Amino acid sequence: MEKARLQPLKGFRDFLPEQAKKREFVINTLKEVFSSYGFEPLETPALEYSSVLLKKYGKEAEKLIYQFKDRGDRDIGLRYDFTVPLARFMATNPNLSLPFKRYQIGPIWRAEKPQAGRFREIWQADIDTVGVKIVFADAEIINCALEVMKDLGFRNYSMKINDRQIFQDYGLSLKAITELDKKEKEGTEPFLKELMTEGKTEKETQGIYQKIIKTKKTKALEDLFSFLDEKRVSFDPTLARGLDYYNSIIFELRVSQYGNLSVGGGGRYDNLIGQFAERDIPATGFSFGIDRLIEAMEQQGLFKKIKTTSSQILVTVFSPEYLEKSIELSKILRQNKMRVEVYLKEDKLDKQIKYADKKGIKYVIILGPDEEKSGTVTVKNMEKGSQETIPQEKLEDYFNN
Amino acid sequence: MEKARLQPLKGFRDFLPEQAKKREFVINTLKEVFSSYGFEPLETPALEYSSVLLKKYGKEAEKLIYQFKDRGDRDIGLRYDFTVPLARFMATNPNLSLPFKRYQIGPIWRAEKPQAGRFREIWQADIDTVGVKIVFADAEIINCALEVMKDLGFRNYSMKINDRQIFQDYGLSLKAITELDKKEKEGTEPFLKELMTEGKTEKETQGIYQKIIKTKKTKALEDLFSFLDEKRVSFDPTLARGLDYYNSIIFELRVSQYGNLSVGGGGRYDNLIGQFAERDIPATGFSFGIDRLIEAMEQQGLFKKIKTTSSQILVTVFSPEYLEKSIELSKILRQNKMRVEVYLKEDKLDKQIKYADKKGIKYVIILGPDEEKSGTVTVKNMEKGSQETIPQEKLEDYFNN
C-alpha cells in the first residue's frame, strides 16, 4: 500500500478550533437572520446524479465538477452549488406549497486550480424564495443579506444592483455578458473584443458600452429600490454576474477595504427550476461565500469580541485521591451552564495552571486538603492575576455574577 | 445529454424543513454539551487521499469507501468516519498541545447496500480526547455522551462497557471478536464456529464463551466505574465492537424501546494515531449516529416541544399600496428578535390568513385603511382564534409579553 500522505488534499483545509469557532459564529448568525425572515432549513445530499449537476451550469463549470462512477456504475458527482440541487428538489417535491423559502449552508466542491485564496472545498450559505415573481421577493432577499452584514459587525458594505433585461435590450449575447463580468479584473477590452467577434465595428462597440453606462433604471429596478435601504444599495448598469441562468434583477454584495472581491451575490432566475420540474416556477436567491466573509471579518478585526476558548473554567486535580471531588465540582458547574474542563494528567498544580494559561482559560479552581478542611475552593482569575477563597456552596453565585 | 433524474441518489436523502429543524436542534444540543466538557470544534475536509482512508479500517470497510481519481489523477475518496481524518490531522499538526479535545459533526459516506434505515450519507457527531492514557479521560467521554442523552430528553438509556483486554487474555483473534460483535443479531454460533476454525474443539469453544461471560472487571474497568453514574452504566464482558483499532475500554450507548440498535459507541484506541504520526499518541473517543438518535427521538415523541415553524408572525399586505408600510412593520418586529414573514403575493386577506394557518404561523398582523387611520394594527392569534386591535407603538410590548 502507498504510504499515507499526511497533508490534507491540495485545495482542501483543516480548520483548527480557533478557526472552526469563528466559522460556527458566522454560521449561527446567518441562520438567525435567515430564520428572522422566514427562511427555513433544507438539506440536500453532497452527491447527485451527474445528469442533474450537468443540466444547467454551462460548459466552463462542467469541467469544474468532481464527477465519478460509483460501484453501481452510476455517473455521480459532488454538488457544485446549492441552486441546481434546489431545482432538482423542487421537481422531486411537486406538492410543496409556494412560496417556498429555504436556506442551505454547507460545503460545495469545485475542481479549480488551487491558488492563494481559492479552494476546492468552499462553504456557502444560500437563501432562495421559490414560486413568486413579485419584485418584493427580491427586495426581501437583498434586505436579509444586508442585515446579515450588519449583524456580523460590518460597517462598510454595499449592494450593487442591476437588471439583466438591460443587456437583452442591447442584444448582448451570454458570452458578452460573461466578458463584461470580468471588467474589474481585466478592463472592458475582452467585452468589446467579444462584441467585435460578433460582428460589431470598433466604433459600435464603444457606443454600446457608453449607452449601457448611461442606462436608467428599469421599471423592475424602480419598484425594487422603493423597498430598499438607499444608503446601502446602488444601481450599476454594468454589473453582469457570470452565471447564465439569471434573467432579471441581479445583485452583488461588496465589503469596502476588501478589494474588488464580492462576498456574495445572487439574482432572479425564473427559468431554471421549470427545466427540472417541467412547469413554470420563478425564483430569486442569494449566496454568501462563507470563506470570503470570514476573511473580510478577519481583515477588519471583527472577531475580537468572540471568545475563542471553549472552556471557561479548568478544575485542577490536586492528587489522584482528589479526582472524584474535582469531578463532582465540575458537574455542579456544568449544571450551571459553565464550560468546564477537568485536568486530565497527573501533574503538579503549577503545570496545570500553565496549561490553563496557554489555552486562555479564564478561571482555575483548586480543591486540595486545605480547601477540603474548610469547605472552600480557591478560584484563580487568570486575567486579573488574582485569587479568592470561596465557600463551596457560594461557588454558583460567584460565577453567576 | 442523459435526461436528468429527479430523485436524490439511491441511499441519499433530502431533509425538508420540518426534518432539517429537528436535525439542527439535535446538533445544537450536541455542540452545547460537548463544549461544556471542554471539547472544541475541528473541521477536516470531506475528501482525503485514498492512502489515508485505506490505512486503518480493515478489509471489509475498504469496499465501502467511495473512491475515485480526481482530474490530477490522484486517488482520493470521501471520508468514511471522523477517526482516521483525526489521526491524519494529528500527524499534520505535530505541535498541538496535548491533551487535544475536539468534536466534529457532519456527514460521512459509505457505499453500503441501501436498506430500510441504512443510508449512504450518514451524519455523525464525534468527540475524542487525544494524548492521555488516564482512564478518567474515558470516563469524561462516557459522562459527556450520557449528558447529551439527558439534554435531548431521553429517559431510558444505558451504556454497556467492556475492556478489550479481556479478549486478549483469552487469546481471541480479531476475526473472533468481530463475530462476537454480531451475537445479538445472529446468536453466538458464528463466534463459536470461528473459534473452531481457529483450531478449538466444540467443547473448548463453549468453555471459552462461558468463561468470558463470568469474567470480572479489569483494573481499568474498576477505576473507570468509580467515575461514572452507576444507574446508567453496566459491565458487559461480551461487548465486542467491530472496529479493529480499539485496544482497551470500549462502550456502546443504547436506548431502550429502540430494539437492539445502539445510537453510538466508542472506546480507547491508543495505537491508531501513532501509525500516522510515527510516535506514541493514545486516544479515546465516542461517536453518535445522528440519524439513529433522531429516529429514536421520533419514536419516543421527544420532538413534541420543538417549534418546527420558522416564522412566528405573518405580516399581511392589504393591497400593493400598503406593501411599504407592511415592510416597515416587519423591520420593527425583526429588530425585536421575532421571526417574521411578509406575504409575498397579491392575494386577498382570506388567502393570506389561510397561508399562515397552513404553515402553523401563530400570529397574523393586518394593517389596512382602518388601522392606518387609527394608528393601530390588528393581531390575530391563530392558536386561540382571537384577535385584538393594538396601537402600533404598543406592538413591541405585546410580543415581549
Side-chain angles (χ1 to χ4, degrees):
Chain A
M1 191 184 301
E2 188 190 352
K3 192 170 181 309
R5 295 168 196 237
L6 297 182
Q7 296 303 319
L9 266 168
K10 230 180 157 187
F12 290 77
R13 292 163 290 174
D14 291 322
F15 295 106
L16 277 80
E18 200 188 340
Q19 201 64 16
K21 272 179 271 183
K22 289 179 186 171
R23 297 170 70 81
E24 285 195 350
F25 170 82
V26 170
I27 288 168
N28 288 341
T29 304
L30 286 161
K31 284 184 184 175
E32 262 172 46
V33 179
F34 291 171
S35 302
S36 82
Y37 275 77
F39 293 95
E40 303 188 285
L42 169 75
E43 283 175 32
T44 63
L47 293 163
E48 298 271 1
Y49 285 107
S50 291
S51 57
V52 167
L53 295 173
L54 296 175
K55 201 174 164 76
K56 205 45 223 168
Y57 296 114
K59 277 273 168 276
E60 193 151 340
E62 284 180 16
K63 277 184 265 166
L64 300 179
I65 297 175
Y66 276 99
Q67 285 184 68
F68 58 104
K69 275 192 190 292
D70 72 3
R71 281 164 208 275
D73 209 35
R74 283 172 282 258
D75 287 307
I76 63 175
L78 287 159
R79 66 183 171 218
Y80 176 87
D81 69 4
F82 291 127
T83 310
V84 164
L86 172 65
R88 194 270 305 145
F89 170 83
M90 293 306 300
T92 317
N93 295 272
N95 298 321
L96 274 183
S97 72
L98 302 180
F100 178 64
K101 294 169 70 176
R102 80 92 180 80
Y103 66 81
Q104 184 160 8
I105 301 175
I108 56 138
W109 295 272
R110 295 182 178 181
E112 302 223 40
K113 220 179 169 66
Q115 315 173 353
R118 206 185 256 188
F119 300 97
R120 287 174 166 165
E121 183 171 62
I122 304 154
W123 279 64
Q124 287 195 338
D126 281 27
I127 44 173
D128 291 85
T129 299
V130 179
V132 281
K133 266 202 160 140
I134 192 168
V135 80
F136 172 57
D138 303 75
E140 281 253 290
I141 296 264
I142 292 170
N143 283 332
C144 180
L146 292 171
E147 194 154 326
V148 164
M149 299 304 281
K150 196 189 76 190
D151 282 14
L152 287 176
F154 283 104
R155 291 186 172 197
N156 301 308
Y157 54 94
S158 60
M159 190 81 82
K160 292 201 169 210
I161 300 177
N162 197 11
D163 185 345
R164 276 239 177 141
Q165 190 59 50
I166 290 173
F167 301 143
Q168 281 182 34
D169 294 347
Y170 290 107
L172 295 193
S173 69
L174 187 64
K175 186 91 202 309
I177 294 174
T178 312
E179 295 300 328
L180 187 60
D181 190 46
K182 298 175 186 162
K183 72 177 185 305
E184 285 180 28
K185 274 187 204 152
E186 300 172 22
T188 54
E189 274 310 310
F191 170 65
L192 300 176
K193 228 168 159 178
E194 172 60 26
L195 291 187
M196 278 158 72
T197 318
E198 293 174 14
K200 303 270 191 307
T201 66
E202 191 167 352
K203 205 181 154 197
E204 283 172 331
T205 64
Q206 277 295 348
I208 289 175
Y209 188 70
Q210 289 308 318
K211 269 192 218 155
I212 290 176
I213 288 177
K214 288 175 199 147
T215 311
K216 290 212 177 103
K217 282 182 196 145
T218 60
K219 169 75 168 61
L221 285 168
E222 289 288 0
D223 286 351
L224 180 75
F225 272 73
S226 72
F227 303 127
L228 302 175
D229 172 8
E230 302 274 346
K231 272 178 296 183
R232 295 292 181 189
V233 297
S234 64
F235 167 48
D236 177 355
T238 69
L239 178 71
R241 308 260 333 134
L243 283 166
D244 63 354
Y245 50 62
Y246 295 122
N247 66 290
S248 175
I249 304 287
I250 50 175
F251 26 92
E252 197 165 287
L253 180 62
R254 292 168 184 212
V255 178
S256 324
Q257 307 164 343
Y258 190 59
N260 282 323
L261 282 178
S262 78
V263 294
R268 178 162 283 281
Y269 54 102
D270 290 332
N271 307 315
L272 175 62
I273 296 178
Q275 289 179 35
F276 285 84
E278 294 179 349
R279 61 197 170 112
D280 189 34
I281 307 181
T284 180
F286 187 88
S287 178
F288 280 101
I290 291 182
D291 307 280
R292 284 190 179 174
L293 267 184
I294 289 172
E295 204 184 317
M297 286 177 73
E298 279 175 341
Q299 278 184 12
Q300 305 197 3
L302 298 180
F303 284 114
K304 267 180 204 148
K305 286 166 218 152
I306 302 173
K307 283 185 192 150
T308 54
T309 315
S310 191
S311 308
Q312 298 158 312
I313 302 172
L314 178 72
V315 177
T316 58
V317 180
F318 191 82
S319 65
E321 308 87 65
Y322 280 84
L323 184 51
E324 278 185 67
K325 290 195 180 69
S326 289
I327 294 172
E328 272 314 306
L329 198 56
S330 70
K331 274 190 193 164
I332 293 165
L333 293 165
R334 280 176 192 141
Q335 275 157 14
N336 282 279
K337 302 283 163 206
M338 305 299 294
R339 297 193 303 275
V340 182
E341 199 169 328
V342 180
Y343 196 76
L344 287 176
K345 290 193 235 177
E346 287 185 17
D347 281 326
K348 285 190 181 153
L349 271 189
D350 265 11
K351 207 168 168 191
Q352 300 186 36
I353 292 164
K354 264 184 203 153
Y355 171 85
D357 189 38
K358 201 173 164 190
K359 274 193 82 172
I361 299 173
K362 189 170 172 188
Y363 298 101
V364 171
I365 294 186
I366 300 162
L367 172 54
D370 290 353
E371 285 83 4
E372 196 188 2
K373 231 177 275 165
S374 57
T376 61
V377 296
T378 301
V379 180
K380 279 181 90 77
N381 184 319
M382 300 294 287
E383 279 173 14
K384 293 186 186 162
S386 61
Q387 73 176 53
E388 282 183 70
T389 304
I390 294 166
Q392 286 189 24
E393 68 273 17
K394 297 231 165 132
L395 201 55
E396 294 178 36
D397 296 342
Y398 179 86
F399 286 111
N400 286 335
N401 296 325
Chain B
M1 190 182 300
E2 190 189 351
K3 191 169 181 315
R5 295 167 195 238
L6 297 182
Q7 296 303 320
L9 266 167
K10 231 182 157 184
F12 290 76
R13 292 163 291 174
D14 291 322
F15 295 106
L16 276 80
E18 198 189 344
Q19 201 63 17
K21 273 178 269 184
K22 290 179 186 171
R23 297 171 70 81
E24 286 194 349
F25 170 81
V26 170
I27 288 167
N28 287 342
T29 304
L30 287 161
K31 284 184 182 174
E32 262 172 46
V33 179
F34 292 171
S35 300
S36 81
Y37 276 76
F39 293 95
E40 302 187 286
L42 170 74
E43 282 175 35
T44 63
L47 293 163
E48 297 272 0
Y49 285 108
S50 290
S51 57
V52 168
L53 295 173
L54 296 175
K55 201 173 162 78
K56 205 44 223 169
Y57 296 114
K59 277 275 167 274
E60 194 149 341
E62 284 179 17
K63 275 183 267 165
L64 300 180
I65 298 174
Y66 276 99
Q67 284 184 69
F68 59 104
K69 274 192 192 292
D70 73 3
R71 282 165 207 274
D73 211 35
R74 284 171 282 257
D75 287 307
I76 65 175
L78 287 160
R79 66 184 171 219
Y80 177 87
D81 70 4
F82 291 127
T83 311
V84 164
L86 173 65
R88 193 269 306 146
F89 170 83
M90 294 307 299
T92 316
N93 295 272
N95 299 321
L96 273 183
S97 72
L98 301 180
F100 178 65
K101 293 169 72 176
R102 81 90 180 82
Y103 66 81
Q104 185 160 8
I105 301 175
I108 57 138
W109 295 272
R110 295 183 178 179
E112 302 223 41
K113 220 180 169 63
Q115 314 175 352
R118 206 184 256 189
F119 299 98
R120 287 173 164 165
E121 182 170 63
I122 304 155
W123 278 66
Q124 287 195 337
D126 280 27
I127 44 173
D128 290 86
T129 298
V130 180
V132 282
K133 266 202 158 138
I134 192 169
V135 80
F136 172 57
D138 302 77
E140 282 253 290
I141 296 266
I142 292 170
N143 283 332
C144 180
L146 292 171
E147 195 154 325
V148 164
M149 298 303 281
K150 196 189 77 192
D151 281 15
L152 287 177
F154 283 104
R155 291 187 169 196
N156 301 308
Y157 54 94
S158 60
M159 190 81 84
K160 292 203 169 209
I161 301 176
N162 196 14
D163 186 344
R164 276 241 178 138
Q165 190 59 51
I166 289 173
F167 300 143
Q168 281 182 36
D169 294 346
Y170 290 107
L172 295 194
S173 69
L174 186 63
K175 186 89 204 309
I177 294 173
T178 311
E179 296 299 328
L180 188 58
D181 189 47
K182 300 175 186 161
K183 71 177 185 305
E184 286 182 25
K185 274 188 207 152
E186 302 173 20
T188 55
E189 274 311 308
F191 169 65
L192 300 175
K193 225 165 161 180
E194 172 60 27
L195 290 187
M196 279 159 71
T197 318
E198 292 174 14
K200 302 273 193 304
T201 66
E202 188 167 354
K203 204 183 157 192
E204 282 171 331
T205 64
Q206 276 294 349
I208 289 174
Y209 188 71
Q210 289 307 318
K211 270 192 217 155
I212 289 175
I213 288 176
K214 288 174 199 145
T215 311
K216 290 214 177 103
K217 281 184 197 143
T218 59
K219 170 74 168 62
L221 283 168
E222 289 287 0
D223 286 351
L224 180 75
F225 272 73
S226 72
F227 302 125
L228 302 175
D229 171 9
E230 302 272 349
K231 271 177 296 180
R232 294 292 181 189
V233 298
S234 64
F235 167 49
D236 177 356
T238 69
L239 178 72
R241 307 263 329 136
L243 283 165
D244 63 354
Y245 50 61
Y246 294 122
N247 66 292
S248 176
I249 304 286
I250 50 176
F251 27 92
E252 197 166 287
L253 179 61
R254 293 170 184 210
V255 178
S256 324
Q257 307 164 342
Y258 190 60
N260 283 322
L261 283 178
S262 77
V263 293
R268 179 161 282 282
Y269 54 102
D270 290 332
N271 307 315
L272 174 62
I273 296 177
Q275 290 178 36
F276 286 83
E278 293 180 349
R279 62 198 170 111
D280 190 34
I281 307 181
T284 179
F286 186 87
S287 179
F288 279 100
I290 290 182
D291 307 280
R292 283 190 180 175
L293 267 184
I294 289 172
E295 203 183 317
M297 286 177 74
E298 278 175 341
Q299 279 185 10
Q300 304 195 4
L302 299 180
F303 283 115
K304 267 181 205 147
K305 285 167 221 152
I306 301 172
K307 283 185 193 149
T308 54
T309 315
S310 192
S311 308
Q312 299 159 312
I313 301 172
L314 177 74
V315 177
T316 57
V317 180
F318 191 81
S319 65
E321 308 86 67
Y322 280 84
L323 183 51
E324 278 186 67
K325 290 194 181 71
S326 289
I327 295 172
E328 272 316 304
L329 198 57
S330 71
K331 276 190 189 161
I332 293 165
L333 292 165
R334 282 175 190 141
Q335 276 157 15
N336 281 280
K337 301 283 163 208
M338 305 300 292
R339 298 193 301 277
V340 182
E341 200 169 326
V342 179
Y343 196 76
L344 287 175
K345 291 194 235 176
E346 288 184 16
D347 282 326
K348 286 191 179 151
L349 271 187
D350 264 12
K351 205 167 170 193
Q352 301 187 35
I353 292 165
K354 264 185 203 152
Y355 172 86
D357 188 41
K358 199 171 167 191
K359 274 192 85 172
I361 298 173
K362 191 170 171 189
Y363 299 101
V364 170
I365 294 186
I366 299 162
L367 173 52
D370 289 351
E371 286 84 3
E372 199 189 1
K373 232 175 276 168
S374 57
T376 60
V377 296
T378 300
V379 180
K380 279 181 89 78
N381 184 320
M382 301 293 287
E383 281 174 13
K384 293 186 188 162
S386 60
Q387 74 176 49
E388 280 182 73
T389 304
I390 294 166
Q392 286 189 24
E393 68 272 17
K394 296 230 166 133
L395 202 54
E396 295 178 35
D397 296 344
Y398 179 86
F399 287 112
N400 286 333
N401 295 326

